[in-house]
């Protein structure tokens, strides 16, 4: 074999090895690119949204270690956000002053709620649900609850409170039991009541020292009306035995429970 033939063989072998190596490298590169494309994972602590002019209009990031997605208006004011906190997720809409005016919350302890806020960041209307018992609450301008309409112990009820959260008017109703309307003094004690319980009707109006009028009726016994002075009956009218009937009827009324659940 001459030198030219040997040289030719060596050059051909080298080129073949080089081509094989290049092809293998190319295939490995393609497979790596495909694997990276399938994952499509981007890791960051903050992701910003920019409009066509480059202005910051929103983003995804963290606040107090809670993930937050937020949106801004053209003026750069925060107008909406959704966050996942340690107590549960929350969503809020903000006005042009960046004050929260509508909040939707799912608290792990108290359940879902929707709150409407005023410019002072105080709640003015709330809708809540604890278990299977929903409630609607109205608040004054300072954020104190003044009216609540809801289901309590599977029965509907309406409460009106003063600024100190003391009951002033309570309306109760229960299937198969009856209904009650009661008016309360500044201390929350019932002073006037009109109701029906277990077929017994009552009308009650007394002052703090136990003076006033009490009346009602029981099935099979007829009506009874009595006047009291400092807790003692001074006058009675009605069917025979009206005084005893009134006393029996009154004993069946738990006046202290008028502020809670008289129909229990």
């Amino acid at each position: 074999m001459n030198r030219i033939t040997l040289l030719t063989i060596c050059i051909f072998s080298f080129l073949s090895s080089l081509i094989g190596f290049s092809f293998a490298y190319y295939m490995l590169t393609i497979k790596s690119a495909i694997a990276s494309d399938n994952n499509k994972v981007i890791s960051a602590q903050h992701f910003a949204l920019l409009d066509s002019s480059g202005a910051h209009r929103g983003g995804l990031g963290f606040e107090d270690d809670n993930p937050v997605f937020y949106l801004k208006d053209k003026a750069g004011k925060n107008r909406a956000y959704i966050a996942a906190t340690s107590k549960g997720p929350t969503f809020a809409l903000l006005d042009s002053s960046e004050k929260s005016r509508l909040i939707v919350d799912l608290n792990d302890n108290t359940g879902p709620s929707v709150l409407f806020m005023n410019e002072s960041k105080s709640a003015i209307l709330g809708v809540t649900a604890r278990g299977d018992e929903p409630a609607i609450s109205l608040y004054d301008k300072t954020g104190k609850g003044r009216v609540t309409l809801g289901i309590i112990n599977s029965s509907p009820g309406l409460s009106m409170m003063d600024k100190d959260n003391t009951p002033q008017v309570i309306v109760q109703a229960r299937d198969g039991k009856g209904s009650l309307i009661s008016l309360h003094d500044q201390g929350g004690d019932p002073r006037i009541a009109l109701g029906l319980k277990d077929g017994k009707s009552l009308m009650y109006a007394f002052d703090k020292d136990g003076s006033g009028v009490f009346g009602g009726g029981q099935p099979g016994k007829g009506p009874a009306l009595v006047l009291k002075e400092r807790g003692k009956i001074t006058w009675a009218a009605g069917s025979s035995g009206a005084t005893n009937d009134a006393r029996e009827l009154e004993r069946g009324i738990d006046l202290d429970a008028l502020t809670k659940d008289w129909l229990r």
Side-chain angles (χ1 to χ4, degrees):
M1 185 179 293
N2 57 35
R3 292 183 177 180
I4 295 176
T5 303
L6 182 60
L7 179 60
T8 302
I9 293 174
C10 291
I11 293 174
F12 180 80
S13 299
F14 173 76
L15 291 176
S16 298
S17 300
L18 183 60
I19 292 173
F21 175 78
S22 298
F23 181 77
Y25 177 78
Y26 173 78
M27 291 303 297
L28 289 173
T29 303
I30 292 297
K31 291 182 178 179
S32 177
I34 292 174
S36 298
D37 185 62
N38 287 336
N39 289 332
K40 294 182 180 179
V41 176
I42 299 176
S43 298
Q45 289 186 325
H46 186 210
F47 178 75
L49 295 177
L50 306 179
D51 62 16
S52 57
S53 64
H56 186 191
R57 299 296 300 276
L60 177 64
F62 286 86
E63 182 175 347
D64 298 329
D65 290 331
N66 298 317
V68 179
F69 175 72
Y70 61 93
L71 298 174
K72 296 175 176 286
D73 59 18
K74 289 185 177 181
K77 300 292 184 65
N78 291 314
R79 300 305 298 266
Y81 72 83
I82 183 170
T85 70
S86 59
K87 295 182 179 180
T90 183
F91 168 73
L93 299 179
L94 295 75
D95 61 17
S96 57
S97 300
E98 296 186 295
K99 296 177 181 178
S100 297
R101 302 299 295 274
L102 174 64
I103 299 176
V104 180
D105 185 74
L106 180 55
N107 190 292
D108 294 336
N109 298 321
T110 59
S113 65
V114 179
L115 292 177
F116 295 83
M117 318 291 285
N118 60 15
E119 293 183 352
S120 301
K121 298 182 179 180
S122 297
I124 56 176
L125 171 63
V127 180
T128 60
R130 296 190 176 186
D132 297 328
E133 298 187 337
I136 299 175
S137 300
L138 305 181
Y139 304 82
D140 61 20
K141 61 182 180 180
T142 64
K144 294 182 178 180
R146 303 298 294 272
V147 180
T148 298
L149 173 64
I151 303 296
I152 302 175
N153 297 328
S154 300
S155 299
L158 172 66
S159 299
M160 300 182 186
M161 284 77 69
D162 62 14
K163 62 180 181 179
D164 297 320
N165 201 38
T166 301
Q168 298 295 288
V169 179
I170 293 180
V171 180
Q172 303 178 42
R174 177 170 290 182
D175 294 341
K177 283 288 186 178
S179 57
L180 173 75
I181 300 175
S182 57
L183 308 181
H184 304 250
D185 60 20
Q186 292 181 345
D189 295 324
R191 294 294 170 221
I192 300 175
L194 178 65
L196 179 67
K197 178 182 180 182
D198 297 328
K200 302 175 183 178
S201 60
L202 78 92
M203 182 273 295
Y204 171 95
F206 280 87
D207 58 19
K208 287 186 176 181
D209 64 3
S211 299
V213 58
F214 179 86
Q218 301 183 73
K221 292 189 176 182
L225 178 67
V226 299
L227 300 181
K228 279 188 173 185
E229 183 176 353
R230 299 184 182 277
K232 295 182 179 181
I233 296 177
T234 58
W235 181 85
S239 58
S240 59
T243 300
N244 292 331
D245 291 346
R247 285 173 175 168
E248 180 181 348
L249 181 62
E250 190 174 12
R251 281 195 296 269
I253 305 302
D254 184 357
L255 299 179
D256 292 333
L258 289 176
T259 58
K260 300 176 182 178
D261 186 8
W262 178 71
L263 300 172
R264 68 185 186 282

